[in-house]
Amino acid sequence: MVKLMRLIDSPIKRKIILLALFSALIPLLVIGPFTFIYFNKVIENKVSTTIDNFLTIVDWNIDAFGSSVENLTNDIFLSNEIHAYLTYKKTDAKLYRLETASLENLNNVTVVNNPYINAIYVGNENHGFLKVNRGEQNLKNDIYQTIKKSNIYPRLLHSEWQGEWLTGSNLKLVTDGSQSLLYGRNIRDLGTKAQMGLVLIELDPAYFENMFKNSNPPGDILVLDEDKILFSSSNNSFSSSQVSKIIQGREKSGTIKKVMNGTQYFFNYHTNKKTNWDIVSIIPYENIVREVNQLRLVTISLLVMALMFSLIIALFITKRITNQLSMLRLVTEKMEKRETVVGIHFNNEDELGEIGNQIVHLYNWNNNLTKRLYKSQIKEKEAELLALQSHINPHFLYNTLNTIYWMAEKLQAKQIAKIAINLSKIFKLTLNDGNHITSVKNEIEQVKSYLDIQNIRFDHKIHYSFTIEPEIMEESIIKLLLQPIIENSVYHGLEHQESGTIMIEGKMVKDGLLFSIRDTGKGFDMNEVDINKKGYALKNINERLKLYYGKEYGLKIESEIGKGTTVYLKAGLKNDGIIHDNL
């Protein structure tokens, strides 16, 4: 560190190195976090889209499952044999024949066609039968009375024509270790709507396991009926009430980020319209952004290496620059003592060397001229001074500003470069080769350059927009009309605000060109401020417009405290016939 401080003992060296470091570091500190946030969002969207597509497929499968069960109950509901069996009151051989016919009617329900159906019960208070597809019969005696005493019977009783998915019941038609899933429906007379009996179908929840067996579900998958878990793809630590509370009261599908048990999770959910079951995917958020975190680590390592490399390059460039600056300081010391500068030659490989040589040349030349002026008469001195001044023309200033621009570009000082090039444009457009007539395009360019410089000064708090009709861009107008108005808006309207907007519009009207400059500054009371006395720049523009184009042209100002100020500028066209060559 001590050696490094010795290398940058010069103030200009420290400034250049700090400028180089901050020029590289600040964009990285600004762009880096936003880039990673953007990557996180992109990955979240991709994962969300993938999961949503997967849940949509699951939703289709559950729709097919529900439709299959509903269609089966429709066949039972409309079966004449089952109707005859349920309405027969006696217990004799005919009842046995009707029961046999009803069972034959259900023979299409086999393990092959519907392997997820464990058993089907059809009956009423008089009699009933149980068809078992899988396992062994669990209920031996009066099954209808057992159903009637269970907690599912009130829900069946109040259902009209459609069926009901019945969860949360301990009622089991067959002996099986897994929790049963029941679907029940009243069988009614189509004419009188009277209840004839009921059908109860027990389904195997293993249907869901078969659904996900050949797929690779993203994260943990839950199938919920309100706060009851019908299926879970893993033994996760979430209760059904926790998950149900998260998605309750939301849209039918969506994505939620939620912290549970100290860990952030990514919840995707989809509600099946047919069954009203919720299909939920739960993924730890860390699993989603793991690749982004790895990328962040690699990127930070590369940035540190790049920063060290930038420091080395900055030291090398600084040394070359400060060598020239040390010589330039020696020249200025000689100039201060009015000594002749001889034997000092700058390296012309860069702009700084060119400027140094030019300063030495101009200084020596100026010294010679000064000696000659002292020996001449007063008039001759004045003539020589005018001759000397004529050599220091705008082109030298243009070249100097351009030199500063390229030096700043070389040092990657973008803001300085931008100020230099914009100042060069303003200077060139203001002088306009000595001509007082310019184009609308040049005026707009001058305003843009001025606003760019001010935005650098005020940390880009000034927003601006141009709405100029393309056909007026080449129209001729007198110069320096718009820039002083914009300057007034900046210093009197926006300078003390956190941010503000300037809107410049221009269009062709019947008898000339109309511009409006509107700002969102603090404004002023039109009754309290006399523009003709307070606003010298505006007064000057107004008088020039009237002198050049006529009395019907000039400025109009509207302002209101707290709402900003609008200046309307009306100028004539080049073919108006009113030309004042003395301006």
Side-chain angles (χ1 to χ4, degrees):
M1 181 62 68
V2 175
K3 292 183 178 179
L4 179 62
M5 292 305 296
R6 287 177 181 173
L7 288 173
I8 55 175
D9 56 351
S10 168
I12 191 67
K13 286 182 180 179
R14 284 197 289 270
K15 291 178 182 178
I16 295 175
I17 290 173
L18 289 175
L19 179 62
L21 290 178
F22 280 110
S23 297
L25 190 59
I26 291 176
L28 295 178
L29 293 177
V30 174
I31 296 172
F34 283 105
T35 302
F36 288 121
I37 291 171
Y38 173 74
F39 282 161
N40 277 7
K41 196 65 179 175
V42 168
I43 290 178
E44 283 181 21
N45 291 338
K46 286 186 177 180
V47 171
S48 179
T49 301
T50 301
I51 296 173
D52 190 61
N53 292 336
F54 179 81
L55 295 184
T56 300
I57 294 172
V58 175
D59 184 62
W60 291 342
N61 288 334
I62 290 177
D63 271 348
F65 171 67
S67 297
S68 175
V69 175
E70 287 182 7
N71 291 336
L72 175 60
T73 59
N74 286 337
D75 292 339
I76 296 171
F77 188 92
L78 298 174
S79 171
N80 292 329
E81 291 82 357
I82 292 176
H83 278 217
Y85 171 73
L86 292 175
T87 55
Y88 195 71
K89 305 279 186 184
K90 299 179 180 180
T91 304
D92 52 18
K94 182 177 180 181
L95 178 64
Y96 174 75
R97 288 195 300 274
L98 290 172
E99 181 177 327
T100 302
S102 297
L103 284 168
E104 289 178 355
N105 189 264
L106 296 181
N107 278 340
N108 61 322
V109 183
T110 63
V111 177
V112 176
N113 293 331
N114 295 293
Y116 50 84
I117 295 179
N118 289 340
I120 301 175
Y121 170 78
V122 177
N124 55 24
E125 291 184 348
N126 298 320
H127 38 253
F129 62 86
L130 178 68
K131 177 175 175 55
V132 177
N133 274 352
R134 299 166 61 88
E136 297 181 2
Q137 182 173 336
N138 186 43
L139 303 178
K140 303 295 184 183
N141 299 319
D142 192 344
I143 299 176
Y144 185 83
Q145 290 301 322
T146 303
I147 296 173
K148 193 172 181 179
K149 293 176 182 178
S150 70
N151 60 349
I152 66 173
Y153 186 74
R155 293 171 61 186
L156 276 173
L157 192 64
H158 289 93
S159 65
E160 293 295 330
W161 296 94
Q162 73 279 6
E164 289 281 344
W165 289 98
L166 308 167
T167 57
S169 171
N170 293 325
L171 183 66
K172 295 175 66 65
L173 299 181
V174 297
T175 56
D176 190 355
S178 62
Q179 181 182 0
S180 61
L181 178 63
L182 300 175
Y183 184 86
R185 183 174 181 179
N186 285 320
I187 301 176
R188 298 181 182 274
D189 186 286
L190 292 176
T192 64
K193 300 182 182 179
Q195 183 182 16
M196 300 166 57
L198 60 84
V199 55
L200 189 64
I201 302 176
E202 181 178 307
L203 301 130
D204 188 356
Y207 169 81
F208 297 109
E209 294 179 8
N210 294 330
M211 184 189 303
F212 298 109
K213 182 167 60 177
N214 296 324
S215 62
N216 185 20
D220 297 335
I221 301 295
L222 297 178
V223 180
L224 302 175
D225 182 9
E226 294 182 350
D227 60 347
K228 302 173 186 68
I229 296 179
L230 304 180
F231 169 77
S232 175
S233 64
S234 64
N235 296 323
N236 56 66
S237 58
F238 301 120
S239 66
S240 59
S241 59
Q242 281 180 306
V243 179
S244 179
K245 186 177 179 180
I246 291 173
I247 65 175
Q248 202 171 34
R250 298 180 181 270
E251 300 290 335
K252 293 295 184 182
S253 62
T255 301
I256 306 169
K257 281 194 291 186
K258 190 76 174 178
V259 177
M260 300 286 291
N261 303 328
T263 305
Q264 190 173 33
Y265 291 90
F266 202 68
F267 288 80
N268 270 67
Y269 64 94
H270 196 108
T271 302
N272 181 264
K273 295 180 181 178
K274 184 178 289 295
T275 62
N276 210 33
W277 295 341
D278 294 311
I279 312 153
V280 185
S281 167
I282 307 173
I283 304 177
Y285 189 73
E286 183 181 1
N287 294 351
I288 296 175
V289 298
R290 183 179 292 120
E291 292 183 0
V292 175
N293 291 335
Q294 293 174 351
L295 177 63
R296 182 185 289 113
L297 181 61
V298 173
T299 304
I300 291 174
S301 301
L302 292 175
L303 291 179
V304 171
M305 294 174 61
L307 201 59
M308 296 300 295
F309 183 73
S310 298
L311 179 60
I312 295 171
I313 296 298
L315 287 170
F316 175 74
I317 295 174
T318 300
K319 184 178 179 181
R320 292 180 62 90
I321 293 174
T322 52
N323 286 340
Q324 299 273 58
L325 290 175
S326 298
M327 293 174 62
L328 190 59
R329 183 172 61 183
L330 179 61
V331 168
T332 57
E333 290 174 355
K334 289 181 174 292
M335 292 170 63
E336 185 179 5
K337 297 175 182 178
R338 306 300 296 173
E339 297 178 359
T340 303
V341 179
V342 292
I344 297 178
H345 301 285
F346 290 84
N347 187 353
N348 283 327
E349 291 182 358
D350 56 33
E351 291 83 355
L352 192 59
E354 292 178 358
I355 292 175
N357 285 329
Q358 191 170 7
I359 289 174
V360 170
H361 172 70
L362 288 174
Y363 172 72
N364 289 332
W365 184 35
N366 189 57
N367 270 351
N368 292 331
L369 289 176
T370 303
K371 291 176 182 178
R372 291 171 59 190
L373 285 172
Y374 279 131
K375 296 177 182 179
S376 302
Q377 296 178 357
I378 294 176
K379 291 184 180 180
E380 291 175 344
K381 291 178 181 179
E382 292 177 352
E384 288 173 359
L385 181 60
L386 291 174
L388 176 62
Q389 290 176 343
S390 68
H391 285 284
I392 306 177
N393 55 37
H395 294 289
F396 170 73
L397 294 176
Y398 298 156
N399 293 337
T400 303
L401 287 171
N402 284 329
T403 299
I404 295 172
Y405 167 74
W406 287 113
M407 287 172 61
E409 281 288 312
K410 188 172 183 179
L411 294 176
Q412 297 184 354
K414 299 298 183 181
Q415 299 286 55
I416 297 175
K418 191 172 183 179
I419 290 176
I421 196 67
N422 281 313
L423 186 58
S424 175
K425 288 181 181 178
I426 291 175
F427 187 73
K428 182 176 180 180
L429 294 170
T430 301
L431 292 177
N432 197 31
D433 294 328
N435 193 349
H436 68 279
I437 299 295
T438 186
S439 65
V440 174
K441 180 180 178 181
N442 286 346
E443 282 285 289
I444 298 301
E445 287 296 321
Q446 187 180 28
V447 169
K448 286 182 178 178
S449 297
Y450 172 78
L451 286 172
D452 285 344
I453 292 175
Q454 293 292 42
N455 254 336
I456 294 172
R457 288 188 60 210
F458 296 122
D459 197 22
H460 297 277
K461 74 175 186 178
I462 302 173
H463 308 283
Y464 61 87
S465 64
F466 292 88
T467 308
I468 309 297
E469 291 181 353
E471 56 266 29
I472 73 170
M473 294 297 282
E474 300 302 326
E475 289 291 337
S476 297
I477 56 174
I478 56 177
K479 68 180 182 180
L480 282 177
L481 293 179
L482 300 180
Q483 189 272 337
I485 300 174
I486 303 297
E487 186 171 348
N488 264 8
S489 294
V490 172
Y491 284 105
H492 300 297
L494 305 178
E495 183 175 5
H496 299 294
Q497 296 187 167
E498 290 185 0
S499 64
T501 303
I502 298 177
M503 294 158 283
I504 301 100
E505 298 179 0
K507 61 182 179 179
M508 180 85 72
V509 293
K510 183 178 179 181
D511 53 349
L513 303 174
L514 181 63
F515 298 89
S516 68
I517 299 92
R518 182 178 294 106
D519 66 63
T520 60
K522 60 183 181 181
F524 58 89
D525 191 340
M526 296 286 291
N527 298 321
E528 296 180 0
V529 179
D530 188 350
I531 302 299
N532 292 324
K533 294 181 179 179
K534 297 292 184 181
Y536 174 79
L538 300 181
K539 179 181 178 182
N540 177 270
I541 294 171
N542 189 49
E543 290 177 351
R544 288 168 59 214
L545 286 168
K546 292 184 181 298
L547 284 171
Y548 193 85
Y549 296 110
K551 294 182 179 180
E552 65 270 29
Y553 298 93
L555 296 181
K556 178 183 177 183
I557 301 174
E558 297 177 355
S559 185
E560 186 175 351
I561 295 177
K563 294 187 178 180
T565 302
T566 302
V567 178
Y568 297 95
L569 184 152
K570 188 176 181 182
L573 297 172
K574 59 186 178 182
N575 57 354
D576 285 339
I578 304 173
I579 302 295
H580 297 267
D581 293 328
N582 59 335
L583 289 180

